[in-house]
Amino acid sequence: MVVCGDDGLAHRLAAELRGVYREQVTLVVPPTGRSGRQPVVGRARAASAALLDRVVTAVNRGNSGSGGPGGSDDTLAPGERVVEAAEPTEAVLAEVGVERAAALALVYDDDETNIRAALTARRLNPRLRLVLRLYNRRLGQHIEELLDQAAALAGGGGAPGRGGADIATTVLSDADTTTPALVATALVGTSKVVDAEGLLLRAVERRPPGPGEVADPGLCTLALLSATSNDPAGDEGSEDSGEQGPQLLPDAAAVAAATGRGTVVLEQLSYSGPSLSSGRGGPPFASLFSRRLRWSLAGLVAATVALAVALALVTDDDPLHATYVTLLDLFAINEPAHHESTGRQVLQLLSGVVGLLLLPVLLAAVLEALGTFRTASALRKPPRGLSGHVVLLGLGKIGTRVLTRLRELHIPVVCVEADPEARGMAVARRLRVPVVLGDVTQEGVLESAKIHRADALLALTSADTTNLEAVLYARSVRPDLRAVLRLYDDDFAKAVYRTLRTAHPSALTRSRSVSHLAAPAFAGAMMGRQILGAIPVERRVLLFAAVVVGGYAQLEGRTVGEAFRAGAWRVLALDTAGSASGGEGVPGSGLVWDLPDTYVLRAEDRVVLAATRRGLAELLGRRARSAT
């Protein structure tokens, strides 16, 4: 496996492949001193920046023995090689052995760099499995089709299609893989969210049932939460917590015996209410003009029609010609009716009066229409009585995707952004989301976002110190506020989480590292699996994958009950969209969730399963051995 990148995701992905899947890994990183780190923006003081640099330096020094940049060969972990290169050029890719590699991950922060290297790698090795990190999803779809077509024409076999065993090219976005977890952590009743073939699912944390109560198992029980929240070793909720830690994919006996422990169950999440407007069309007529102006226009039109009818009756003129003459009188461009009848003269005077009234009404209509369009293109301010909303800090890559997901769930949001040219500002305007422009570390900015009446705070800026300072200040304003902050380094996120939890035990606090949440999905894609999503359970990760049963000795020919491996993997649903299998599915999807334990899995069946990282690695290994 070859991993090329310039930030923490590359190192985390290499560790995932080496530690979980036991793969030989070659890591390509920029030369020492040139590795990219998330910039510190805003009013980050020199002392805070220096403290953060010392923390990151200490972490890198501790990781130097496991293959970090700058580490010598004798300190690298077994099965890992580090190559320093400024860019993944053709010479660099040839040096690291792309021609002989099974998979290549390009996780640079720049889309163009990843695309250029992917095109070169596909030419060097048509059979190479490619995993690209691209923010632009539409471009990613085209690039994926292009690279797969190139592999097929070059004789590499290409991608076998939907759910195939060896996906030639997979395009992922760290923003997409981490957004569900970041959104869900801040919401009540919407814990972790994953998209399964167009169906939105959520993993809900539930407290232990009281005496005489029966807990709702949902679609299935995914995990048992930790039995204790006070681990002196500092490994609470991780794989090192032992028997007191979380148990992923427990069997029915373990669930029944786990008295006093919370559970994580899987539920279907459906949208309520109409979908959001795309924002491409103009505002409707009712929103262009006020109600008073609409009534005024209607009254003038009625008066004009009445004058035309009266003129037709008085002069015995044709109705169409009478309407034409009335409009001429209305706009004062007709000849005076000196020698006409008295009725005709009176009607001409009344038409002139209506014309005088029409001019200011038309001017008001033009001004109101311009004002409506100007308001639609401008940023909205938080309403005075707003409460129960989510305050979102930062409209970068991650923040923009989180904002979109929150609005899809019809959750009120107020954004705070210091850069008026941030990439998410256009999305905020289109979705009509209130935005507060200003530095979140300055006094009064969070107050303008109604932080004292908010339900949750999502600090997702690119600066760790800014996120931490915002959460600490919000805690001083409202101690029970639910807070989720994005931190660049996973070890730093763990330390911040433990400290904030100790200082505010009654409040929900989560610190998330983007690389920690995204690495499992990227690693699974490198192993050739279609990863649908990853759900964090405390400090462990549960993966959702779509696989074709054929070739898996632990699945093919077995019943659903026999295929279940506690703590490793579990078949959740059967995809009937591309097979002849029947069943009662969920409306709007081809997934059947009520599979009986006696259903026999066939080679052509495509199933959605939940698996731990080690369980998925074992399943892939068994398939590889059975194929050979």
Side-chain angles (χ1 to χ4, degrees):
M1 301 290 176
V2 180
V3 178
C4 304
D6 57 357
D7 59 9
L9 179 58
H11 297 279
R12 185 76 189 183
L13 177 56
E16 189 86 10
L17 293 170
R18 185 184 65 252
V20 177
Y21 296 95
R22 308 301 179 189
E23 293 288 338
Q24 300 284 333
V25 181
T26 298
L27 179 61
V28 181
V29 294
T32 305
R34 295 185 58 183
S35 299
R37 184 173 69 83
Q38 298 287 356
V40 178
V41 296
R43 285 179 58 253
R45 299 177 177 85
S48 301
L51 174 61
L52 178 61
D53 289 336
R54 286 198 297 271
V55 172
V56 175
T57 302
V59 171
N60 291 335
R61 188 184 301 114
N63 291 338
S64 61
S66 60
S72 58
D73 292 338
D74 56 353
T75 61
L76 295 177
E80 183 175 89
R81 173 191 174 199
V82 174
V83 176
E84 294 185 347
E87 292 184 0
T89 61
E90 181 175 353
V92 172
L93 294 177
E95 178 186 353
V96 299
V98 167
E99 297 90 343
R100 305 179 304 276
L104 167 66
L106 299 166
V107 293
Y108 290 93
D109 194 46
D110 179 53
D111 288 1
E112 183 179 350
T113 301
N114 294 328
I115 294 174
R116 187 188 305 113
L119 296 174
T120 303
R122 176 60 74 221
R123 178 168 49 84
L124 295 175
N125 186 356
R127 296 183 178 272
L128 182 68
R129 186 180 303 119
L130 286 173
V131 178
L132 278 71
R133 172 190 185 184
L134 295 181
Y135 176 78
N136 191 327
R137 288 179 289 185
R138 180 175 298 180
L139 175 61
Q141 294 176 357
H142 295 308
I143 292 297
E144 186 173 326
E145 296 173 358
L146 175 65
L147 293 174
D148 284 347
Q149 183 178 2
L153 294 177
R162 180 170 169 262
D166 293 317
I167 300 176
T169 307
T170 303
V171 176
L172 296 174
S173 167
D174 53 347
D176 285 333
T177 54
T178 59
T179 291
L182 291 171
V183 170
T185 308
L187 303 179
V188 174
T190 311
S191 262
K192 296 91 181 177
V193 182
V194 63
D195 287 320
E197 303 298 319
L199 184 67
L200 196 64
L201 305 174
R202 64 178 179 179
V204 181
E205 294 185 8
R206 291 184 175 172
R207 296 180 178 179
E213 297 180 353
V214 178
D216 182 7
L219 295 175
C220 68
T221 300
L222 296 177
L224 297 174
L225 299 178
S226 297
T228 176
S229 59
N230 185 16
D231 188 350
D235 294 321
E236 61 273 6
S238 69
E239 296 180 357
D240 301 325
S241 349
E243 296 180 356
Q244 302 299 319
Q247 297 182 21
L248 303 184
L249 302 177
D251 54 19
V255 174
T259 57
R261 298 181 66 167
T263 59
V264 178
V265 299
L266 188 66
E267 293 182 348
Q268 177 188 354
L269 183 65
S270 59
Y271 293 148
S272 61
S275 59
L276 294 176
S277 174
S278 61
R280 294 181 180 179
F285 180 82
S287 64
L288 280 176
F289 308 113
S290 64
R291 182 178 181 181
R292 180 180 300 176
L293 184 60
R294 293 198 303 270
W295 278 109
S296 300
L297 288 173
L300 291 175
V301 171
T304 303
V305 172
L307 290 173
V309 171
L311 182 62
L313 294 176
V314 170
T315 61
D316 294 330
D317 198 357
D318 180 73
L320 183 61
H321 186 266
T323 303
Y324 171 71
V325 173
T326 301
L327 291 176
L328 292 180
D329 294 336
L330 196 70
F331 294 106
I333 55 176
N334 196 11
E335 292 291 337
H338 292 298
H339 305 290
E340 301 288 340
S341 63
T342 305
R344 171 73 182 89
Q345 294 176 348
V346 171
L347 290 176
Q348 188 175 57
L349 292 176
L350 292 177
S351 299
V353 173
V354 174
L356 293 177
L357 297 176
L358 179 63
L359 291 178
V361 172
L362 291 178
L363 179 60
V366 172
L367 294 179
E368 278 201 9
L370 292 177
T372 301
F373 282 112
R374 183 172 60 252
T375 303
S377 61
L379 294 175
R380 297 184 60 194
K381 295 182 178 180
R384 290 185 177 181
L386 181 64
S387 62
H389 58 288
V390 175
V391 177
L392 174 62
L393 311 182
L395 288 175
K397 291 195 305 182
I398 305 295
T400 302
R401 294 290 166 83
V402 170
L403 172 62
T404 304
R405 176 57 63 88
L406 288 172
R407 293 305 300 130
E408 288 175 352
L409 297 175
H410 305 283
I411 297 168
V413 187
V414 174
C415 299
V416 179
E417 175 57 54
D419 183 11
E421 302 298 328
R423 70 170 72 212
M425 297 297 286
V427 177
R429 289 190 181 95
R430 177 173 60 85
L431 299 179
R432 305 297 304 276
V433 175
V435 178
V436 176
L437 282 177
D439 188 351
V440 71
T441 60
Q442 294 180 349
E443 295 183 1
V445 174
L446 282 178
E447 284 80 355
S448 300
K450 316 297 183 187
I451 191 64
H452 56 287
R453 292 202 298 265
D455 275 356
L457 170 66
L458 285 168
L460 305 180
T461 70
S462 58
D464 288 2
T465 50
T466 301
N467 295 334
L468 183 57
E469 185 175 351
V471 170
L472 293 177
Y473 179 75
R475 278 276 182 266
S476 65
V477 176
R478 185 174 174 184
D480 61 340
L481 181 70
R482 294 190 307 276
V484 179
L485 63 156
R486 166 195 176 189
L487 296 177
Y488 179 70
D489 184 79
D490 187 54
D491 290 337
F492 188 32
K494 179 179 178 180
V496 170
Y497 161 70
R498 294 179 60 198
T499 304
L500 289 176
R501 190 192 61 182
T502 303
H504 301 277
S506 61
L508 175 62
T509 303
R510 292 291 185 268
S511 56
R512 298 299 188 193
S513 168
V514 173
S515 61
H516 175 78
L517 295 174
F522 279 83
M526 290 190 71
M527 300 303 298
R529 293 298 90 228
Q530 184 181 354
I531 303 297
L532 302 177
I535 284 180
V537 179
E538 295 184 355
R539 295 196 64 78
R540 299 188 64 182
V541 176
L542 194 62
L543 299 177
F544 290 80
V547 300
V548 176
V549 173
Y552 290 95
Q554 297 298 311
L555 300 179
E556 186 177 358
R558 297 176 180 265
T559 65
V560 173
E562 293 172 346
F564 172 54
R565 177 70 61 85
W569 61 77
R570 177 174 185 170
V571 175
L572 298 178
L574 174 67
D575 185 4
T576 60
S579 64
S581 303
E584 294 296 330
V586 177
S589 72
L591 299 178
V592 178
W593 292 91
D594 55 349
L595 283 177
D597 289 342
T598 57
Y599 178 83
V600 180
L601 298 174
R602 300 172 298 178
E604 64 272 16
D605 286 339
R606 185 172 184 264
V607 297
V608 175
L609 56 85
T612 63
R613 294 181 295 180
R614 296 189 185 277
L616 186 60
E618 181 182 355
L619 185 63
L620 292 173
R622 288 184 181 274
R623 185 184 189 281
R625 287 193 291 272
S626 63
T628 57

